[in-house]
Amino acid sequence: MDDLRDKYIAAIAAASDEAALEDIRLAAVGKKGEVALKMRELGKMTPEERQIAGPKLNALKDEINSALAAKKTALADAALDARLATEWLDVTLPSRARPQGTVHPVSQVTEEISAIFANLGFAVAEGPQIETDFYNFDALNMPTHHPARQEFDTFYMHRAEGDNRPPHVLRTHTSPVQIRAMEKSGAPIRVIAPGRVYRSDYDQTHTPMFHQVEGLAIGKDISMANLKWVLEEFFAAFFEIDGIKTRFRASHFPFTEPSAEVDIQCSWVDGQLRIGEGDGWMEVLGSGMVHPKVLQAAGVDPEAWQGFAFGMGIDRLAMLKYGIPDLRAFFDSDLRWLRHYGFSCLNQPTLHGGLSR
């Protein structure tokens, strides 16, 4: 029996492929193999002889089967190593992890703002980023001597010599969208206008291109009280703080009368801004009742209709809500910044009130 063991263990070690290994298995432990024939001879033995030979044959069978399994695994590993050494691509290996994209904070906050105002009954209106002098200034009751109409404050489009068309500018606010919306739909109307705007300015809180959202509501009996309610509802939903206090301060804008700057309650604790608590105030937007001349320029009768308008910076709201310290970081930082402040592409609110997919 030792000779039989030595014979097959040596044959298994010398096998060069799985086909040769299968031939050895059949010859050793197959139904007609040598070990199987030896097992049949047990019936001719005396009980004493079977007690000795039986365990030895079972142990021999188990040893041969174990050697066959180990050799089969070794041959498979060797074959894989050979393939990896010669093949350019091993399709059996796991694929590389695919980087997941993120939503920019400005895009995320734009979605949040639009969804909140949609729940308040405001539609989203859009307009061109290159505007005429009329829509950007004249229709908004801004006189020709207004500082915003100077080239050091506004980007004017180049005009070839002899081109006498009215000036075109990169819009300085999204207020022109309100004019276009009233021209198109008339009154009553309730819209917000989010989008890019451009001004010749650059520091920690200003950039040449930034994002703004303006709101407009025109009706028969709309008042400053309606404006205050809408803004307080928005602040409570956006900052997720019930009962957030607001303060209206008299101001002046050419396109509203009366006009007001709006502040929200805040405090500073250990160098960190906290919205909705404390005795401090922070200005966040401008607002007021739409000037009759603006309604008239948009084709709406100011004797029959009135309403309110407001405007605020989307980038600044993102900074306040998510603790982003420098406005310029929105545009000139690397991907590590976006990974820190960015939002997952999934499970985010949309204009439809559900989850993006």
Side-chain angles (χ1 to χ4, degrees):
M1 207 172 292
D2 290 339
D3 293 341
L4 199 61
R5 174 192 175 280
D6 294 341
K7 170 186 174 182
Y8 284 110
I9 294 299
I12 291 170
S16 59
D17 53 43
E18 290 192 19
L21 201 62
E22 179 64 13
D23 290 341
I24 296 170
R25 187 191 70 80
L26 292 173
V29 295
K31 289 184 178 181
K32 297 181 180 180
E34 289 191 70
V35 176
L37 293 176
K38 291 285 186 182
M39 297 285 283
R40 292 175 189 173
E41 293 177 1
L42 291 174
K44 301 176 182 180
M45 297 180 183
T46 64
E48 292 78 10
E49 290 174 332
R50 282 199 300 270
Q51 286 181 351
I52 297 172
K56 289 184 178 181
L57 283 171
N58 284 326
L60 176 61
K61 183 179 179 181
D62 291 342
E63 186 176 1
I64 291 174
N65 282 329
S66 296
L68 286 168
K71 184 64 176 182
K72 186 175 181 179
T73 300
L75 289 173
D77 291 343
L80 179 60
D81 290 341
R83 284 177 56 199
L84 292 176
T86 57
E87 292 182 0
W88 180 76
L89 176 66
D90 177 15
V91 296
T92 66
L93 293 175
S95 61
R96 293 185 178 91
R98 297 180 65 182
Q100 183 179 7
T102 58
V103 176
H104 195 281
V106 170
S107 300
Q108 169 65 18
V109 170
T110 301
E111 284 286 343
E112 292 178 12
I113 292 171
S114 300
I116 292 169
F117 279 110
N119 289 334
L120 295 173
F122 286 76
V124 174
E126 296 180 331
Q129 296 181 44
I130 298 177
E131 271 293 5
T132 65
D133 206 43
F134 170 77
Y135 283 105
N136 199 76
F137 297 123
D138 294 336
L140 295 165
N141 195 37
M142 299 179 73
T144 55
H145 61 270
H146 195 281
R149 303 185 77 146
Q150 305 301 314
E151 290 189 359
F152 59 76
D153 202 47
T154 296
F155 294 105
Y156 280 82
M157 307 304 292
H158 175 71
R159 281 279 184 263
E161 188 175 352
D163 187 344
N164 296 320
R165 288 179 298 168
H168 281 67
V169 300
L170 293 178
R171 66 184 183 190
T172 59
H173 41 195
T174 57
S175 300
V177 180
Q178 299 179 3
I179 303 297
R180 292 180 178 274
M182 285 189 285
E183 284 184 337
K184 181 180 178 180
S185 303
I189 190 172
R190 209 181 315 180
V191 296
I192 60 167
R196 296 186 183 93
V197 296
Y198 307 84
R199 296 180 189 175
S200 184
D201 209 350
Y202 188 70
D203 58 34
Q204 187 174 357
T205 58
H206 299 86
T207 54
M209 186 277 288
F210 58 101
H211 302 81
Q212 192 178 59
V213 58
E214 299 202 12
L216 173 73
I218 302 296
K220 290 290 186 179
D221 301 309
I222 291 179
S223 68
M224 289 287 286
N226 302 121
L227 168 64
K228 186 174 188 294
W229 180 86
V230 165
L231 293 179
E232 288 180 345
E233 288 293 305
F234 166 74
F235 292 139
F238 181 74
F239 291 109
E240 302 177 34
I241 300 172
D242 292 331
I244 185 170
K245 294 181 181 179
T246 59
R247 182 177 68 176
F248 282 60
R249 291 180 290 106
S251 186
H252 168 73
F253 304 111
F255 27 80
T256 53
E257 180 60 39
S259 303
E261 302 276 4
V262 180
D263 305 333
I264 58 174
Q265 177 189 14
C266 71
S267 65
W268 289 90
V269 179
D270 297 328
Q272 290 190 345
L273 175 67
R274 296 187 179 180
I275 302 293
E277 60 181 64
D279 299 324
W281 298 95
M282 174 172 289
E283 182 249 315
V284 288
L285 60 87
S287 65
M289 298 297 291
V290 180
H291 198 289
K293 289 186 177 180
V294 174
L295 294 175
Q296 193 172 33
V300 175
D301 183 3
E303 297 295 329
W305 302 95
Q306 63 186 35
F308 62 75
F310 58 84
M312 49 190 158
I314 295 176
D315 315 78
R316 189 164 183 227
L317 288 174
M319 293 172 68
L320 291 176
K321 183 172 182 177
Y322 295 108
I324 300 169
D326 194 322
L327 179 63
R328 293 168 292 188
F330 282 127
F331 311 105
D332 58 11
S333 293
D334 59 26
L335 291 177
R336 290 171 295 181
W337 177 89
L338 187 56
R339 292 191 191 104
H340 177 73
Y341 285 109
F343 295 83
S344 171
C345 291
L346 302 177
N347 202 34
Q348 295 300 326
T350 71
L351 296 181
H352 307 293
L355 300 179
S356 60
R357 289 286 182 264

